[in-house]
């Protein structure tokens, strides 16, 4: 291989790396909603939804969401945060279109009695 060919490959590799980095950082911050110690977030590409519970106590959090594929039979989707942790969900057949962050009380029987949900957040537009 000649020096010129190696230089061309190095230049092409640099352009590809810089190009992909530019695309990744070009997106926005995404969407999120919080309520007390709970948080739901969706990245700018709407590929996943993450729900977190910031404290181990008797309060639980979940996100109820829909994707933008009208044929997907699993609607609505639901992802629950473990106590003091986070959980992520996604769909193979669409992007996150709308989500609500919900809060519930954990009873002595360890079952969650879900209360009201926050207002809908529409990353995919209405």
């Amino acid at each position: 291989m000649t020096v010129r060919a190696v230089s061309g490959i190095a230049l092409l590799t640099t352009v590809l790396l810089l190009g992909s980095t530019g695309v990744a950082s070009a997106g926005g911050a995404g969407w999120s909603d919080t309520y007390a110690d709970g948080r739901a977030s969706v990245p700018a590409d709407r590929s996943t939804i993450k729900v977190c519970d910031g404290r181990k106590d008797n309060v639980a959090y979940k996100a109820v969401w829909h994707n933008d594929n009208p044929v997907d039979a699993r609607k609505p989707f639901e992802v629950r945060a473990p106590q003091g942790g986070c959980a992520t969900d996604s769909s193979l057949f669409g992007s996150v279109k709308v989500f609500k962050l919900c809060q519930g009380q954990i009873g002595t029987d360890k079952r969650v009695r879900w209360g009201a949900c926050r207002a809908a957040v529409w990353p995919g537009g209405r």
Side-chain angles (χ1 to χ4, degrees):
M1 198 177 270
T2 67
V3 172
R4 188 173 185 176
V6 171
S7 295
I9 291 171
L11 179 62
L12 179 61
T13 303
T14 302
V15 168
L16 289 173
L17 288 174
L18 289 176
S20 64
T21 302
V23 170
S25 63
W31 299 264
S32 65
D33 195 13
T34 59
Y35 185 72
D37 293 313
R39 177 179 174 85
S41 59
V42 173
D45 67 0
R46 299 186 302 123
S47 61
T48 61
I49 183 165
K50 181 177 184 180
V51 63
C52 298
D53 183 345
R55 180 183 289 182
K56 291 183 180 182
D57 55 13
N58 66 337
V59 181
Y61 297 94
K62 70 178 179 179
V64 178
W65 64 283
H66 290 268
N67 68 18
D68 56 7
N69 182 342
V71 182
D72 200 337
R74 243 184 29 157
K75 291 184 178 184
F77 298 91
E78 182 179 290
V79 58
R80 295 183 183 190
Q83 287 283 288
C86 299
T88 303
D89 198 12
S90 63
S91 170
L92 291 174
F93 304 110
S95 300
V96 178
K97 181 173 176 108
V98 60
F99 70 91
K100 289 182 178 184
L101 177 61
C102 305
Q103 179 189 43
Q105 295 293 315
I106 302 172
T108 55
D109 60 356
K110 303 295 183 198
R111 292 183 185 207
V112 179
R113 287 165 189 81
W114 294 104
C117 296
R118 306 248 315 140
V121 178
W122 292 84
R126 289 184 182 217

